[in-house]
Amino acid sequence: QRCKKKQSSQASRGRGKDGAPIITFPEFAGFSDIPDEDFLNVVTYLTSIPSLEAASIGFIIIIDRRRDKWSAVKASLTRIAGAFPGNLQLVFVLRPSRFIQRTIADIGIKLYRDDFKMKVPIIMLNSVSDLHGYIDKSQLTRELGGTLEYGHSQWIHHRTAIENFAMTVKTTAQMLQTFGTDLAETELPNDVQCTEELLSAHTDHHSKLKDELKLAVKQGATLLTCIREPVTRSANSKLSPDELENVATVERLLAQLDETEKAFDQFWTKHHLKLEQCLQLRHFEHDFREVKLTLDNLMEAQAGFSDVGDSVTRVEHLLREQKQLEEKGQVCKAQTLALHGEQLIQNNHYAVDSIRPKCVELRRICDDFTNETKKKYDILGKSLELHQQLDKVSDKWCEAGIYLLASQAVDKCQSQEGAETALVEIEKFLATAKEHQLSNPKEILQKLEDVQEMFDKRQVSLKKLAAKQTRPVQPVAPHPESSPKRASPKTTRPECVFFFHVCFAKHYNSPSFFSFSHIINELIETERVYVEELQSIIEGYASEMDNPNLVHLIPSTLQNKKEILFGNLPEIYEFHNRIFLKEIENCIENPELLARCFLKRKEDLQIYEKYCQNKPRSEALWRQCGDSIFFQECQRKLDHKLSLDAYLLKPVQRITKYQLLLKEMLKCSKNSEGTAELEEALATVLDIIKSVNDSMHQIAITGYEGDVSELGKLLMQGSFNVWTDHKKGHNKVKDLARFKPMQRHLFLYTKMLLFCKKREENTDGHEKTASYSFKNSLKMSTVGITENVKGDNKKFEIWYNGREEVYIIQASSVELKNTWISEIRKVLTGQLEACRGRTQLI
């Protein structure tokens, strides 16, 4: 509104010779109608535009009344004298141009000069040319005969924009100050959720204010560009003093805005850091409470954990429970939390006094729990060692006692002398029992008591015999063929002999002696260890090959060869972890189901064949890069005593372990229920081992142009002496062939019989590697067999095309020969039956 009223006066952008700002009051018919308040506001605004330096020089006022009357001149001077707020330097009045009014004005100025109350000179001018004598034309507008360009609408536009920008700067500063006050007065929350919400709210508000600042800066920059537009458009143009003042004003506002933003950013950085540290503290406190509660509860549970076990099985169970308790203890988490707290302290956290005691408490709790766990492990370890030694001693003593009873001949016990001798042997042996009467567990004591009872009964019987009068006795040996009819009452088998047989059978079939469950427990425990070892290999080695932090340690020869090095080890791990371990664990309560597990998973266990086929490639790759830093680092992290190649042999060792355990089970379950299934399970494992062994030889075949996988199942393989006899061959060749056998390795498939030559080569100083160079092949559909060759029961013949080609094969033993003949006969019989079946269909 002030700018609209300015048409009654204007800042002409000009300056006096000493730099004083010029304000012009042009001719305006309604000047006297402007209210005093509005006039004062306009004049005050105009005097506030120049800089303080320019305003201090004093303003020059030009009153143009050339077309007006003396009364207008008088009114203008009176109003200016009474309302001008600034410092005046000169007042120029362009008097009325008409003669009468000019004369009146000259008289009036003399008469009323004192009434105007101006302390500065009032210079009456007749024309603009007189004005030019005081002020240069370049500082005057065209209305006053000058050359200064002045656009009133543009001036209003610039001033309005500057006023709006100043208001924006003021408003923005107030918003920042208000927000800063709110931040300073904010109380920090006491929980994680509230802290996160407060941090999020403050961050959002800060982002919005930053956006407002950016808009304000953009507004000021645009305004500055607009004011400088004439200079930008024309190199010859210059900004007027008034425009320079506008530029200075905008720049000052922008600088003020920049200072405000910097101060706000500095304050926000401190506040935001404190909020983040508060959130870190709340997380730390929350985790501290959880970990401390868990460890306190486990410490309490551990304190009540006083059982040391009464058998090897019980102690092993307690050790597993202790291990689970240790894993639940979150010691690693507590140590990590303490380390995190120390890092917060090092980072100058504001709550050091609160964090440090908690770190000390965490360290103390971890040490206490670790020490108690170590003590418990030590106690259980000694208990396990003691029970194992007691088991070993008691088993040895019991076995020796049973052996003594079994070795005492029945016929010798019939005489008094023989009975007394046997009795002395028993008493001497029983005297050694005192060495084993320690604070033994119940199970061991039961073993000793069983054997003690056997000896007591034998002693009773022998004492009866030793007390009888000496007379000839015809002893009767306890042979199965002895008929009850031939035995007399006086020569019947002594009670001690019958009791021994009963007790001997009972004791050996008892779970307390050869425990079937012990073998199952061993199988399950070793299976768990096996699964853990496979997991450690996969996570500690195979997965680490994909770790970007360790890529630089992997040698170039190992790049992209993880599948070669590990084969299908992940597949083996998944099978045992998800399926096989769980199934055999279910056999603890039902041991008779164990054999079925092996029979059920016969096909799944063939994965070992694939693993073993890849083993030579894996070993060759290991020899190239096994000593790299990458494997050393992985081994260090896993705390393995052995290197990776030793663990890569675990699958091969495991399938052999199954064979040994199944054999032990068969020994313990002879002629009992489930023996047949155990024998079938053992046969299954042996068949898998044979398939693995055969496949290892098969992959070493070289020179065969066809696809070995198309030859059917590999049934047998082995080395033989081979002679050839070809009817069409030269006699010398034929005779020579008969006397000089060839060493050939034969591979029997369902469709083909391959003859290969075995070769052994050294590889980089390591053990010899066998390969089989292909020499000849016979289709099984066109061969015949002669099972016996005159003069050597280890030879047999395979002939081809009506005996045009005859291969005399010598096995290393008759058993091996018979096995091969049996397999070849099965193949030929199967082909014959298949041919008959096709004929019947036709």
Side-chain angles (χ1 to χ4, degrees):
Q1 187 68 25
R2 282 199 298 263
C3 292
K4 289 180 180 179
K5 302 276 181 154
K6 186 185 173 293
Q7 54 189 322
S8 62
S9 59
Q10 63 185 31
S12 65
R13 298 187 182 179
R15 291 291 185 271
K17 293 179 181 180
D18 55 358
I22 300 173
I23 297 178
T24 304
F25 289 87
E27 292 180 332
F28 180 61
F31 181 79
S32 59
D33 298 331
I34 297 173
D36 291 340
E37 183 179 358
D38 289 349
F39 177 77
L40 179 61
N41 288 338
V42 170
V43 174
T44 301
Y45 177 72
L46 290 176
T47 55
S48 66
I49 294 174
S51 65
L52 293 176
E53 183 181 357
S56 64
I57 299 173
F59 289 89
I60 298 174
I61 295 178
I62 300 174
I63 303 174
D64 185 6
R65 293 294 180 264
R66 286 176 293 175
R67 298 179 182 178
D68 217 331
K69 300 178 181 178
W70 158 246
S71 58
V73 175
K74 180 182 177 183
S76 300
L77 289 172
T78 303
R79 175 168 282 185
I80 291 170
F84 194 80
N87 180 26
L88 281 174
Q89 186 186 93
L90 288 172
V91 177
F92 294 100
V93 180
L94 287 172
R95 66 182 70 185
S97 57
R98 286 179 292 179
F99 178 76
I100 297 175
Q101 293 298 325
R102 181 183 300 177
T103 304
I104 297 172
D106 289 339
I107 296 170
I109 197 65
K110 293 178 182 179
L111 294 175
Y112 297 101
R113 182 181 295 273
D114 294 335
D115 294 342
F116 298 144
K117 298 180 181 179
M118 289 188 180
K119 298 180 181 179
V120 297
I122 300 175
I123 302 173
M124 303 294 291
L125 303 175
N126 294 324
S127 63
V128 293
S129 58
D130 294 342
L131 181 62
H132 294 164
Y134 294 96
I135 301 173
D136 192 88
K137 288 183 178 181
S138 63
Q139 300 301 317
L140 297 172
T141 59
R142 292 182 179 180
E143 291 82 1
L144 298 176
T147 59
L148 181 65
E149 294 292 336
Y150 174 76
H152 189 58
S153 60
Q154 184 186 39
W155 187 91
I156 291 175
H157 175 72
H158 285 176
R159 292 309 307 177
T160 304
I162 291 172
E163 292 294 332
N164 289 337
F165 180 55
M167 184 58 66
T168 299
V169 171
K170 182 179 180 182
T171 303
T172 303
Q174 289 175 345
M175 286 192 299
L176 294 178
Q177 185 177 3
T178 302
F179 181 54
T181 303
D182 292 341
L183 296 184
E185 295 174 355
T186 300
E187 292 186 4
L188 297 178
N190 292 321
D191 60 273
V192 173
Q193 183 178 354
C194 292
T195 306
E196 287 177 343
E197 291 174 355
L198 181 64
L199 179 60
S200 176
H202 283 190
T203 303
D204 290 343
H205 197 172
H206 170 261
S207 298
K208 291 177 181 178
L209 288 177
K210 289 291 288 185
D211 291 340
E212 293 288 339
L213 274 169
K214 289 178 182 178
L215 288 175
V217 171
K218 185 177 180 181
Q219 179 183 352
T222 303
L223 178 57
L224 202 58
T225 302
C226 183
I227 296 172
R228 290 172 173 167
E229 183 182 2
V231 178
T232 306
R233 194 167 49 205
S234 174
N236 297 326
S237 299
K238 291 184 180 180
L239 294 179
S240 66
D242 198 17
E243 290 172 331
L244 289 173
E245 290 287 351
N246 288 344
V247 168
T249 300
V250 175
E251 289 178 342
R252 186 176 65 255
L253 291 171
L254 285 171
Q256 180 182 341
L257 199 61
D258 183 61
E259 290 176 1
T260 303
E261 183 178 11
K262 287 180 180 178
F264 175 71
D265 287 344
Q266 186 177 6
F267 177 78
W268 167 253
T269 301
K270 293 180 181 179
H271 178 75
H272 187 258
L273 175 62
K274 191 167 185 178
L275 281 181
E276 286 186 330
Q277 288 184 342
C278 178
L279 183 59
Q280 292 171 347
L281 178 63
R282 300 302 174 237
H283 277 297
F284 178 77
E285 291 173 340
H286 178 267
D287 294 342
F288 172 79
R289 287 191 293 270
E290 284 189 346
V291 170
K292 187 176 184 302
L293 179 62
T294 302
L295 286 173
D296 287 344
N297 291 337
L298 290 173
M299 285 286 287
E300 185 177 346
Q302 196 175 55
F305 190 70
S306 58
D307 189 3
V308 294
D310 56 3
S311 66
V312 172
T313 305
R314 176 60 180 167
V315 176
E316 289 175 343
H317 176 71
L318 291 174
L319 281 169
R320 286 195 297 272
E321 286 187 348
Q322 182 64 33
K323 181 67 175 176
Q324 293 172 355
L325 190 68
E326 184 181 12
E327 291 173 352
K328 292 178 182 177
Q330 297 183 333
V331 174
C332 290
K333 184 176 180 181
Q335 292 174 341
T336 304
L337 186 60
L339 182 62
H340 176 59
E342 290 170 356
Q343 289 175 344
L344 292 178
I345 294 173
Q346 291 176 0
N347 294 335
N348 298 321
H349 197 284
Y350 71 86
V352 172
D353 294 338
S354 174
I355 297 172
R356 183 173 282 114
K358 291 181 175 62
C359 292
V360 173
E361 179 71 6
L362 285 172
R363 296 290 188 192
R364 184 192 64 77
I365 295 174
C366 287
D367 292 342
D368 290 348
F369 185 81
T370 303
N371 292 334
E372 287 300 318
T373 302
K374 186 177 182 301
K375 289 179 183 177
K376 193 64 66 176
Y377 272 127
D378 290 342
I379 293 171
L380 290 176
K382 292 176 181 178
S383 176
L384 179 63
E385 184 180 358
L386 174 63
H387 287 298
Q388 287 174 339
Q389 291 176 353
L390 289 174
D391 266 357
K392 198 176 295 182
V393 170
S394 63
D395 286 348
K396 186 176 179 181
W397 188 83
C398 293
E399 287 175 6
I402 293 171
Y403 177 78
L404 175 61
L405 293 177
S407 64
Q408 290 180 338
V410 176
D411 53 348
K412 292 181 179 180
C413 292
Q414 306 306 310
S415 66
Q416 184 178 7
E417 183 181 357
E420 288 176 348
T421 302
L423 192 59
V424 169
E425 290 177 350
I426 289 175
E427 288 173 348
K428 286 182 178 180
F429 183 82
L430 288 176
T432 64
K434 297 179 180 179
E435 301 174 8
H436 307 287
Q437 299 303 315
L438 308 174
S439 54
N440 294 339
K442 295 178 181 179
E443 185 178 346
I444 296 174
L445 282 175
Q446 184 62 46
K447 286 183 183 180
L448 298 175
E449 288 172 2
D450 289 344
V451 176
Q452 183 77 41
E453 183 182 357
M454 292 166 63
F455 273 85
D456 290 343
K457 291 187 177 181
R458 174 69 69 91
Q459 276 182 310
V460 171
S461 299
L462 289 173
K463 286 177 180 178
K464 289 180 180 179
L465 289 172
K468 293 179 181 179
Q469 295 180 355
T470 304
R471 59 184 178 85
V473 177
Q474 179 66 39
V476 180
H479 293 299
E481 61 268 24
S482 298
S483 172
K485 295 178 181 180
R486 294 173 58 191
S488 67
K490 294 182 180 180
T491 58
T492 53
R493 180 185 300 179
E495 180 187 355
C496 62
V497 177
F498 173 76
F499 174 76
F500 167 73
H501 283 286
V502 173
C503 287
F504 186 83
K506 178 182 177 182
H507 193 68
Y508 267 88
N509 291 327
S510 170
S512 66
F513 197 72
F514 274 122
S515 178
F516 192 88
S517 62
H518 280 180
I519 301 175
I520 291 182
N521 286 336
E522 181 182 357
L523 173 63
I524 294 172
E525 287 304 314
T526 55
E527 184 74 11
R528 288 169 179 161
V529 173
Y530 177 54
V531 170
E532 290 174 1
E533 288 175 337
L534 292 182
Q535 184 180 6
S536 70
I537 296 170
I538 293 170
E539 294 179 355
Y541 286 100
S543 298
E544 288 297 283
M545 290 180 69
D546 300 324
N547 187 344
N549 296 326
L550 298 179
V551 169
H552 65 286
L553 299 180
I554 300 177
S556 58
T557 53
L558 190 60
Q559 296 287 346
N560 302 318
K561 293 182 181 178
K562 182 166 70 173
E563 293 183 359
I564 295 177
L565 183 62
F566 296 97
N568 64 329
L569 194 68
E571 182 184 5
I572 294 175
Y573 166 70
E574 288 298 322
F575 166 68
H576 283 272
N577 184 48
R578 292 189 299 105
I579 300 173
F580 201 58
L581 175 59
K582 294 178 181 178
E583 289 184 352
I584 64 175
E585 283 178 335
N586 293 334
C587 299
I588 295 178
E589 302 296 332
N590 302 292
E592 67 277 1
L593 300 178
L594 182 66
R596 298 178 191 174
C597 292
F598 285 92
L599 297 175
K600 179 181 177 182
R601 297 300 172 186
K602 179 178 180 180
E603 296 299 324
D604 294 316
L605 289 168
Q606 297 295 331
I607 55 179
Y608 282 92
E609 182 175 341
K610 181 179 177 182
Y611 182 81
C612 292
Q613 287 176 349
N614 179 69
K615 199 72 180 70
R617 299 172 65 204
S618 174
E619 290 175 349
L621 181 59
W622 174 258
R623 286 194 292 270
Q624 296 178 39
C625 56
D627 57 350
S628 70
I629 299 176
F630 170 75
F631 291 117
Q632 295 174 11
E633 179 65 17
C634 293
Q635 182 178 347
R636 184 189 64 78
K637 288 183 179 179
L638 291 171
D639 196 23
H640 279 179
K641 299 295 185 294
L642 302 175
S643 56
L644 173 62
D645 58 329
Y647 287 91
L648 291 177
L649 286 173
K650 294 292 182 180
V652 182
Q653 296 167 348
R654 189 59 187 169
I655 199 70
T656 307
K657 181 72 173 179
Y658 292 145
Q659 170 197 354
L660 298 175
L661 290 172
L662 287 172
K663 284 183 178 178
E664 289 299 319
M665 291 178 190
L666 274 172
K667 290 179 183 178
C668 297
S669 60
K670 281 290 185 182
N671 303 322
S672 63
E673 185 180 355
T675 301
E677 284 189 334
L678 274 175
E679 290 176 343
E680 190 176 352
L682 177 59
T684 297
V685 174
L686 290 173
D687 186 52
I688 293 171
I689 294 174
K690 178 181 176 301
S691 298
V692 168
N693 186 48
D694 290 347
S695 67
M696 292 294 289
H697 289 276
Q698 175 182 274
I699 62 174
I701 297 175
T702 61
Y704 181 71
E705 296 181 355
D707 188 353
V708 177
S709 63
E710 295 178 357
L711 303 182
K713 183 180 179 181
L714 177 60
L715 304 174
M716 302 284 289
Q717 56 83 25
S719 294
F720 299 88
N721 291 328
V722 179
W723 292 262
T724 60
D725 186 359
H726 302 279
K727 286 185 178 181
K728 295 182 180 180
H730 194 275
N731 288 335
K732 290 183 178 179
V733 176
K734 180 168 63 177
D735 293 340
L736 185 63
R738 285 185 177 274
F739 294 102
K740 298 191 78 173
M742 296 177 291
Q743 298 296 321
R744 291 290 182 263
H745 202 90
L746 273 58
F747 293 86
L748 176 62
Y749 295 89
T750 53
K751 297 181 181 180
M752 192 83 75
L753 177 64
L754 300 186
F755 292 79
C756 299
K757 184 175 182 179
K758 184 176 181 180
R759 303 180 186 277
E760 291 185 344
E761 299 176 354
N762 289 325
T763 55
D764 300 332
H766 293 79
E767 61 182 10
K768 293 181 179 180
T769 303
S771 65
Y772 303 98
S773 177
F774 171 74
K775 294 297 181 183
N776 192 16
S777 64
L778 298 176
K779 290 184 178 179
M780 294 304 295
S781 60
T782 59
V783 303
I785 184 173
T786 302
E787 297 184 8
N788 296 302
V789 176
K790 187 177 180 181
D792 193 340
N793 60 355
K794 293 186 289 186
K795 289 182 179 179
F796 64 96
E797 290 182 344
I798 296 178
W799 39 268
Y800 183 65
N801 282 347
R803 297 186 67 85
E804 282 187 3
E805 297 181 18
V806 180
Y807 296 86
I808 303 170
I809 301 171
Q810 183 184 48
S812 59
S813 66
V814 176
E815 292 78 10
L816 180 61
K817 166 196 164 181
N818 292 336
T819 303
W820 272 75
I821 288 174
S822 175
E823 287 296 330
I824 294 172
R825 191 187 300 120
K826 288 179 184 178
V827 174
L828 298 180
T829 303
Q831 291 176 351
L832 180 61
E833 291 177 353
C835 182
R836 287 174 180 173
R838 288 194 295 269
T839 304
Q840 291 175 359
L841 288 174
I842 294 173

